Amino acid sequence: MMNDMTKPLKIYIAGPITGAVDVNRHTFNVHAATLAEAGHVPLNPAVLPIGLENHEYMAICKPMVEIADEVHMLPGWEHSKGAMMEHGWAIERAKPIRFVVAL
């Protein structure tokens, strides 16, 4: 847990969603729970409702990446167009990027 002097990090979770079983919610939610237990603020796109167009999801996710202190890339991110875009946004904004190996 974080001490009183440490501000929790806002951490955006990026990874494959489209085409994944149950849109990969379980993987996103497990990582989000781990981050929350450590005292951080997970920004989890897997909580968004099913039914939007891909460009609409990206329009919602871009501001989340912008306010994040750090971006975590879930396994398989490199096979996701959306996660690749989020990775690019993180690089453009010089955000620390962490690669999650396994959950």
Side-chain angles (χ1 to χ4, degrees):
M1 196 67 162
M2 314 203 95
N3 65 41
D4 293 337
M5 303 303 288
T6 306
K7 185 176 176 185
L9 294 175
K10 295 179 293 293
I11 301 173
Y12 182 82
I13 305 167
I17 292 180
T18 304
V21 175
D22 191 33
V23 294
N24 212 13
R25 286 185 196 272
H26 177 75
T27 304
F28 277 81
N29 292 338
V30 166
H31 192 59
T34 300
L35 294 173
E37 287 169 16
H40 301 297
V41 179
L43 301 173
N44 181 1
V47 301
L48 296 173
I50 295 173
L52 301 177
E53 299 288 331
N54 191 54
H55 69 92
E56 294 169 322
Y57 287 115
M58 299 317 296
I60 294 167
C61 293
K62 188 172 185 178
M64 290 197 294
V65 172
E66 289 174 356
I67 67 162
D69 297 309
E70 179 171 300
V71 174
H72 287 195
M73 308 303 297
L74 296 178
W77 71 272
E78 64 277 5
H79 304 293
S80 163
K81 288 180 185 176
M84 292 286 287
M85 288 176 65
E86 293 159 343
H87 182 261
W89 296 334
I91 289 173
E92 288 171 7
R93 287 158 184 79
K95 306 272 181 184
I97 300 172
R98 310 256 182 259
F99 298 92
V100 180
V101 179
L103 297 176

